[in-house]
């Protein structure tokens, strides 16, 4: 139990590590993109360079002369830390706070804060899935579903674009839950992800596909839906990046802060006094940015 607001703040920070069990939506986009997560403090709207190997490297059949080498950092991708997901709560009175143990504090504050913030960050990533960012597209011929033939067409598109599609742990197919539902009912998909009755039964029991052509089919609540058109994306992890840094400590009178980490994402927890409401408040915020770094590493699928 905490004997002060400072002690309560540390209790909350410790609870964040245990909050991996927070009841959140399946934020699969966060889990399946490239990440650059560091505790280094940064200011909002500052930029971070993400260095990726150039796709314009050449190989020379060197019979004479000297080899011309390339610099892998010559054209870094610049990601702006322009996202600031934040949430907060009123704190109970001092006596009530003193009686809270770590589990009670997590149940009341941490799980809900983590849920809100992860859903916000996941939404930022989903907003990247546009025709402007991913020009390669397969247009579906059936409503609310991706057929196996369309899946293979997208697979061929990525293979032709020299995407490392054999890198199975990093290849994903992300669908809206409605598209996932109807796709899951496709016999060709089930046959492709099943071998024998035991695995077929497991598919139906868990509601999950096995890897198909090295790609893991999944669903996410934030996948784009506009004007009745559902957009799915087959992509390699290196198609998009999530960058996060610690928020700079605010030099504010009467505000106490600590940085905690959830799945590598730095989260600032602050306790201060809201003189407009005449009560203590607790806030959670993070600093991040998202960007498409390899547009050719993804292929959209649209279905109406």
């Amino acid at each position: 139990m905490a004997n002060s607001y400072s002690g309560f703040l540390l209790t909350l920070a410790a609870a964040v590590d245990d909050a991996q069990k927070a009841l959140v939506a399946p934020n699969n986009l966060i889990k399946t993109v490239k990440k650059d997560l560091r505790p280094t403090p940064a200011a909002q709207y500052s930029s971070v360079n993400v260095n990726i190997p150039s796709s314009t490297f050449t190989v020379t059949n060197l019979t004479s002369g000297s080899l011309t080498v390339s610099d892998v950092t010559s054209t870094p991708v610049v990601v702006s830390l322009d996202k600031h997901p934040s949430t907060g709560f009123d704190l109970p009175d001092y006596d009530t706070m003193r009686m809270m143990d770590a589990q009670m504090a997590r149940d009341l504050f941490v799980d809900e804060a983590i849920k809100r913030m992860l859903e916000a960050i996941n939404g930022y990533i989903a907003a990247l899935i546009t025709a402007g960012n991913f020009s390669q597209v397969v247009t579906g011929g059936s409503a609310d579903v991706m057929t196996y033939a369309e899946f293979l067409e997208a697979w061929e598109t990525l293979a032709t674009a020299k995407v490392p599609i054999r890198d199975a742990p990093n290849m994903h197919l992300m669908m809206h839950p409605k598209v996932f539902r109807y796709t899951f009912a496709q016999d060709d998909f089930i046959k492709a992800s099943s071998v024998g009755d035991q695995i077929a039964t497991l598919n139906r029991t868990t509601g999950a596909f096995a890897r198909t052509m090295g790609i893991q089919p999944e669903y996410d609540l934030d996948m784009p839906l506009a004007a009745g058109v559902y957009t799915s994306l087959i992509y390699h992890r290196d198609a998009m990046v999530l960058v996060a840094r610690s928020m700079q400590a605010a030099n504010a009178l009467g505000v106490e802060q600590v940085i905690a980490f959830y799945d590598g994402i730095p989260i600032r927890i602050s306790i201060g006094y809201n003189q407009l409401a005449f009560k203590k408040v607790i806030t959670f915020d993070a600093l991040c940015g998202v960007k498409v770094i390899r547009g050719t590493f993804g292929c959209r699928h649209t279905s109406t």
Side-chain angles (χ1 to χ4, degrees):
M1 298 182 186
N3 292 319
S4 66
Y5 282 111
S6 298
F8 182 62
L9 185 65
L10 295 176
T11 297
L12 288 172
V16 169
D17 184 59
D18 190 45
Q20 309 289 333
K21 303 173 184 176
L23 299 178
V24 299
N27 300 301
N28 284 321
L29 286 169
I30 290 179
K31 304 171 186 175
T32 57
V33 300
K34 181 181 178 67
K35 299 181 184 67
D36 184 347
L37 312 175
R38 304 185 189 184
T40 310
Q44 190 174 7
Y45 301 114
S46 59
S47 297
V48 174
N49 289 341
V50 177
N51 295 317
I52 60 174
S54 171
S55 59
T56 59
F57 287 166
T58 58
V59 176
T60 304
N61 180 15
L62 193 64
T63 57
S64 64
S66 300
L67 175 66
T68 300
V69 298
S70 302
D71 182 359
V72 297
T73 63
S74 60
T75 54
V77 175
V78 179
V79 182
S80 175
L81 298 174
D82 57 357
K83 309 298 183 187
H84 185 199
S86 313
T87 189
F89 310 90
D90 291 328
L91 276 177
D93 61 83
Y94 182 72
D95 289 336
T96 302
M97 181 275 299
R98 288 182 62 246
M99 297 303 296
M100 287 187 185
D101 58 22
Q103 184 61 50
M104 292 174 61
R106 180 191 152 194
D107 291 343
L108 282 176
F109 301 109
V110 174
D111 279 3
E112 183 61 24
I114 294 298
K115 176 181 183 296
R116 294 180 187 181
M117 296 186 68
L118 290 185
E119 288 177 350
I121 295 172
N122 201 73
Y124 303 150
I125 299 172
L128 296 175
I129 303 173
T130 65
N133 286 329
F134 296 101
S135 59
Q136 300 173 137
V137 62
V138 172
T139 302
S142 304
D144 307 334
V145 68
M146 176 187 293
T147 66
Y148 192 61
E150 291 162 357
F151 167 78
L152 291 177
E153 182 180 349
W155 179 91
E156 180 187 9
T157 298
L158 294 180
T160 303
K162 299 183 179 180
V163 176
I165 53 177
R166 294 294 187 186
D167 185 12
N170 292 314
M171 290 298 304
H172 304 276
L173 162 58
M174 202 65 67
M175 297 174 274
H176 186 277
K178 186 172 184 179
V179 178
F180 185 91
R181 166 196 170 190
Y182 286 110
T183 300
F184 197 81
Q186 296 285 306
D187 286 342
D188 286 346
F189 252 109
I190 293 298
K191 291 175 182 177
S193 63
S194 303
V195 180
D197 292 340
Q198 184 176 359
I199 297 179
T201 300
L202 182 62
N203 285 350
R204 295 299 185 183
T205 302
T206 62
F209 286 109
R211 289 193 180 277
T212 304
M213 298 290 288
I215 297 171
Q216 181 63 58
E218 298 169 278
Y219 71 91
D220 192 285
L221 299 176
D222 290 317
M223 289 302 290
L225 168 60
V229 178
Y230 294 91
T231 299
S232 303
L233 186 71
I234 299 179
Y235 61 100
H236 187 276
R237 168 183 174 272
D238 289 346
M240 298 175 281
V241 65
L242 165 65
V243 175
R245 296 290 186 269
S246 295
M247 293 290 299
Q248 291 181 325
N251 186 20
L253 184 64
V255 176
E256 299 180 71
Q257 298 178 329
V258 68
I259 300 294
F261 296 87
Y262 183 91
D263 200 18
I265 300 174
I267 298 175
R268 180 174 63 178
I269 309 174
S270 308
I271 291 180
Y273 184 73
N274 181 356
Q275 68 182 74
L276 298 179
F278 304 104
K279 61 178 65 175
K280 285 274 191 178
V281 295
I282 180 171
T283 59
F284 298 76
D285 64 336
L287 181 64
C288 63
V290 296
K291 192 168 186 176
V292 172
I293 54 177
R294 291 182 185 271
T296 58
F297 273 36
C299 179
R300 291 178 300 115
H301 174 275
T302 58
S303 56
T304 58

